[in-house]
Amino acid sequence: MTGRFIPFNRPQIEEEEIRAAVETLRSRWLTTGPRAEEFERDFARYVGARHAIAVSSGTAALQLALVTAGVSAGDEVITTPFTFTATAEVIVHCGARPVFVDVRPEDALMDPARVEASLTPRTKAILPVHYAGQPCDVERLGAVAAASRLVLVDDAAHALPARVGGRMVGTLGDLTAFSFYATKTITTGEGGMVTTAKEEYAERIRALRLHGLSRDAWTRHDADESWQYEVHEPGYKCNMMDLLAAIGIEQLKKCDAFHAARCRCASAYTAAFSRMEAIIPPREAAGRQNAWHLYVILIRPEMLTIDRGQFVRQLRARNIGASVHFIPLHLQPYYRKAFGYAPGDFPNAEWFYERCISLPIYPGMTQDDVLSVIEAVADLSRRFRR
């Protein structure tokens, strides 16, 4: 048993972030302003996107992306059941129906072949999730979307800095939504970003994030008639304030270093778990860079005398902060009642869920922390071997 608790995640907040937050507080400009604009420019440059628009959360980023894509009442959006509820709830908030398609059992990513089979005249968009940091098959999904004149909206909450070939996630779909929640690969505590190559999309999101106003407070601050603005449509209140953006600017500078640390941890895990018969480690697909937001192993229940839930509890008893991502949405009461989904509808998602365990992975993990996690998993694999 390890001597101290190793949490599932710990944000890497250092003096640079603290100094930036304090400087912003002293500036007296706290809401959306110069730091938010700087964060947007830096982020767009980092991922290679033409536009980046900072918002209050990853969920807000997804909702604004769908609204901007024209999703409305009566439409359908194809997505995955193997995700956090935010992915599907924003579809519902648009008045549309989430149409789930099953995932591939090897990586829990949306299966493009099943997407094609689920298209109807009501389909408006395809919303894949880059689960755990592993990029989806966006080439095929993009081709399906283009052939049917659909909008491809990426849920990239897990996917900074993931790549497909030489291109970074954030430049692959029509619109991409990122999250900077406390557990993400970079964090602002709460916050999100939408990237797009289309000027008209970017302009609409900038207006929608602040009540549909033609100019935000910072834009009006320097204008001769600062009180002048126009409302072109009802919007939302989901702009990112400068206090959070200041933290994001410093976090983004460290994104590559954070990713390198996650890769070292993932490599050590994979090398060890590949030697354990009862454990299936994740694999990084060829031509893709995994962001390693999560490190998800699968247990082989036929080889063990305990199930996944018991395995997680045993890890926690050994001071390892393991978790599970995710409970498939078609098993949740709301989606069963509202849309008629039922257990058994998506067997691959259920198969993955029954076996998956998310292990601690974050930049501040020491070599001893990583070894403690490996030793705990190895001990359970031996102790409860069938």
Side-chain angles (χ1 to χ4, degrees):
M1 184 179 295
T2 59
R4 66 180 183 85
F5 184 73
I6 300 172
F8 167 68
N9 180 274
R10 180 182 287 130
Q12 191 81 354
I13 300 297
E14 299 171 316
E15 286 304 314
E16 294 85 356
E17 288 85 353
I18 295 169
R19 189 181 309 115
V22 171
E23 288 174 357
T24 302
L25 289 169
R26 286 175 173 156
S27 78
R28 302 297 194 272
W29 191 277
L30 305 184
T31 188
T32 306
R35 297 287 77 77
E37 286 190 353
E38 182 180 353
F39 187 29
E40 290 172 339
R41 290 193 301 271
D42 290 351
F43 195 87
R45 188 180 307 114
Y46 181 77
V47 301
R50 185 177 175 191
H51 302 283
I53 307 96
V55 294
S56 57
S57 69
T59 304
L62 278 174
Q63 183 160 6
L64 292 180
L66 290 179
V67 171
T68 299
V71 175
S72 60
D75 290 336
E76 294 177 350
V77 177
I78 296 176
T79 192
T80 168
F82 203 79
T83 183
F84 186 56
T85 187
T87 307
E89 75 185 27
V90 295
I91 299 171
V92 176
H93 288 318
C94 289
R97 177 186 177 90
V99 176
F100 297 139
V101 299
D102 211 353
V103 298
R104 304 185 307 199
E106 65 269 22
D107 55 19
L109 297 178
M110 180 185 284
D111 187 339
R114 297 175 188 270
V115 171
E116 293 183 76
S118 300
L119 296 176
T120 76
R122 293 182 298 278
T123 306
K124 193 63 171 279
I126 300 172
L127 177 49
V129 175
H130 302 291
Y131 172 70
Q134 175 76 10
C136 291
D137 191 346
V138 286
E139 300 96 335
R140 287 184 62 189
L141 291 170
V144 172
S148 300
R149 296 185 177 181
L150 305 175
V151 181
L152 182 64
V153 179
D154 296 46
D155 183 338
H158 297 183
L160 185 72
R163 294 179 182 270
V164 176
R167 297 177 63 190
M168 189 169 283
V169 170
T171 64
L172 305 171
D174 296 300
L175 294 142
T176 303
F178 291 90
S179 171
F180 307 130
Y181 181 64
T183 61
K184 297 305 191 289
T185 54
I186 69 168
T187 184
T188 58
E190 297 281 358
M193 191 79 73
V194 186
T195 60
T196 183
K198 295 189 176 183
E199 181 76 32
E200 62 269 29
Y201 284 170
E203 287 181 0
R204 191 175 185 209
I205 292 169
R206 289 190 183 100
L208 284 172
R209 69 177 172 178
L210 192 64
H211 303 297
L213 301 184
S214 58
R215 289 155 51 206
D216 61 26
W218 176 245
T219 305
R220 300 198 306 272
H221 177 71
D222 289 331
D224 292 336
E225 295 180 320
S226 61
W227 48 270
Q228 289 282 2
Y229 62 86
E230 294 179 331
V231 178
H232 292 281
E233 63 178 315
Y236 305 86
K237 183 63 173 72
C238 50
N239 53 304
M240 177 183 282
M241 60 181 181
D242 265 20
L243 185 59
L244 301 187
I247 297 170
I249 290 166
E250 299 304 322
Q251 286 271 295
L252 187 62
K253 293 174 184 176
K254 303 173 184 179
C255 190
D256 288 342
F258 288 171
H259 181 246
R262 287 174 177 274
C263 286
R264 287 193 294 271
C265 179
S267 295
Y269 280 166
T270 299
F273 299 143
S274 296
R275 299 191 293 269
M276 301 179 195
E277 291 185 0
I279 304 298
I280 304 172
R283 57 186 180 85
E284 193 167 23
R288 280 159 165 69
Q289 175 177 288
N290 196 324
W292 292 118
H293 165 57
L294 301 175
Y295 189 93
V296 182
I297 61 170
L298 301 177
I299 64 165
R300 298 183 190 270
E302 69 277 9
M303 293 186 176
L304 298 169
T305 59
I306 57 174
D307 62 18
R308 190 278 317 283
Q310 293 168 317
F311 204 106
V312 171
R313 288 192 287 274
Q314 288 287 336
L315 284 172
R316 289 178 176 171
R318 287 161 172 77
N319 286 331
I320 306 300
S323 191
V324 173
H325 299 85
F326 293 101
I327 303 171
L329 292 181
H330 72 284
L331 302 180
Q332 296 288 0
Y334 171 76
Y335 295 98
R336 293 173 65 176
K337 181 179 179 180
F339 302 106
Y341 290 118
D345 284 351
F346 307 103
N348 290 345
E350 292 178 32
W351 182 92
F352 197 96
Y353 164 64
E354 291 163 359
R355 291 160 174 78
C356 69
I357 301 172
S358 299
L359 298 176
I361 184 170
Y362 52 91
M365 288 187 75
T366 66
Q367 187 174 6
D368 285 345
D369 291 338
V370 174
L371 290 175
S372 293
V373 175
I374 291 170
E375 289 170 2
V377 173
D379 178 59
L380 292 176
S381 299
R382 289 190 300 267
R383 187 181 299 267
F384 296 101
R385 183 63 187 269
R386 190 179 298 278

